[in-house]
Amino acid sequence: MPQVKLYDMKAKEVGTLDLNDELFNIEYNESVIHQAVVTRLANERQGTKSTLTRSEVRGGGAKPWRQKGTGRARQGSIRSPQWIHGGVVFAPKSRDFSKKMNVTARRIAIFSALSQKIRDNEVIFIDDIKVSAPKTKEMVAFLKAFNLDKSVLMVMNNNDEAVLRAASNLEKLSTLPVEQLNTYDIVKNSKLVISKQAVEKLEEVYGE
C-alpha cells in the first residue's frame, strides 16, 4: 500500500496518507487512457454543421446558355459547385460524433492515469481544502506555497463556495468535485491537488 505525504494549505506537512494499491498503484495503460480521452473529446463535438449540395440549392433549373456556339464553356446549371451561390462538393452534414466506453474501462483509465501521476510526483494530497475567505489572494498564496506555476486541477470532496470563488479568477487553476473526476482532466493538467476526503470517497466507491 503506497504511503504519501499529507499537507495543509500552507504547504506544511501534517501527516501521511495510506492509499489503496488496487486503485492508486495500478499499471499504466496507455491504450485505455487514449480511448477515454478520445471518447471525451468526441462527445463534446456538436456535429451541427450542415451545408447544401447542388441538389439542395434552390434554383438553377434552366440551362444558363445554349450548349454550343457561344464561345463559353458549356454549363448545365447556375447551381453547380463552380458557380457563386452554387452547391458545395462533399457538403458536410449534421452527424453524431459520440462514442461509448464501458464502466470498467473508464475506471481503469482514471486510476491508471492517476497512479502514473502519483509515481511522477505530480499529485499533492491536502488534509482539507479550505480558505479563510472567498478571495483570489487566498488561492494565489496556496499556489505560491507549493510553487505551482502550471495548470493545476483541484479535486474536492464538496463544492465549497468559498474555495470555488477564490479559484474562479485564476486561469491556471480549475476545480472539480470528486464525483466528476475523469481521465481527460487528469492528463490535461500538469499537477493535481486532491483532498483527503476526496481520496476516501474514491476508495469507498471504487474500492473492494
Side-chain angles (χ1 to χ4, degrees):
M1 180 176 292
Q3 190 177 76
V4 295
K5 294 180 180 179
L6 199 61
Y7 298 90
D8 63 11
M9 295 289 285
K10 296 181 180 179
K12 179 181 178 182
E13 188 175 340
V14 294
T16 58
L17 181 64
D18 293 324
L19 302 178
N20 187 334
D21 258 340
E22 296 178 355
L23 298 180
F24 299 100
N25 193 26
I26 66 175
E27 184 180 352
Y28 182 70
N29 193 324
E30 184 176 358
S31 62
V32 177
I33 291 174
H34 177 266
Q35 182 185 355
V37 172
V38 169
T39 300
R40 162 69 181 267
L41 294 177
N43 290 340
E44 288 184 348
R45 297 183 67 176
Q46 292 184 342
T48 55
K49 61 182 180 180
S50 181
T51 55
L52 303 179
T53 64
R54 64 177 295 173
S55 65
E56 296 170 320
V57 178
R58 183 179 178 86
K63 189 174 175 66
W65 52 76
R66 69 176 191 256
Q67 184 82 346
K68 295 178 178 294
T70 65
R72 289 177 288 184
R74 55 192 174 188
Q75 299 291 332
S77 170
I78 61 172
R79 294 300 180 243
S80 298
Q82 71 270 22
W83 284 73
I84 296 175
H85 305 304
V88 178
V89 181
F90 306 124
K93 293 296 180 181
S94 299
R95 56 174 288 193
D96 181 11
F97 289 97
S98 65
K99 295 178 179 292
K100 292 184 179 180
M101 190 173 181
N102 66 58
V103 175
T104 302
R106 280 205 307 268
R107 170 183 168 176
I108 292 173
I110 289 174
F111 289 103
S112 176
L114 200 51
S115 296
Q116 189 60 42
K117 282 278 188 184
I118 294 172
R119 284 190 287 268
D120 293 339
N121 295 317
E122 295 177 351
V123 182
I124 299 171
F125 295 90
I126 303 295
D127 182 49
D128 188 17
I129 296 177
K130 60 181 180 180
V131 292
S132 57
K135 296 184 178 295
T136 304
K137 65 179 182 180
E138 294 275 339
M139 278 300 167
V140 171
F142 165 74
L143 296 176
K144 287 183 177 180
F146 285 96
N147 295 318
L148 299 175
D149 56 357
K150 295 183 179 180
S151 58
V152 179
L153 174 64
M154 182 174 285
V155 183
M156 304 183 298
N157 179 48
N158 51 48
N159 288 325
D160 188 320
E161 186 64 29
V163 174
L164 295 177
R165 290 180 62 185
S168 62
N169 288 331
L170 297 175
E171 183 180 358
K172 294 182 180 179
L173 177 63
S174 55
T175 59
L176 195 71
V178 66
E179 294 85 0
Q180 297 178 18
L181 184 63
N182 61 86
T183 307
Y184 175 74
D185 284 321
I186 293 174
V187 300
K188 175 186 174 183
N189 291 277
S190 298
K191 291 280 188 178
L192 265 64
V193 175
I194 305 179
S195 70
K196 178 182 177 182
Q197 294 88 351
V199 171
E200 291 172 348
K201 182 168 286 187
L202 286 172
E203 293 180 340
E204 178 184 346
V205 174
Y206 294 103
E208 296 180 357

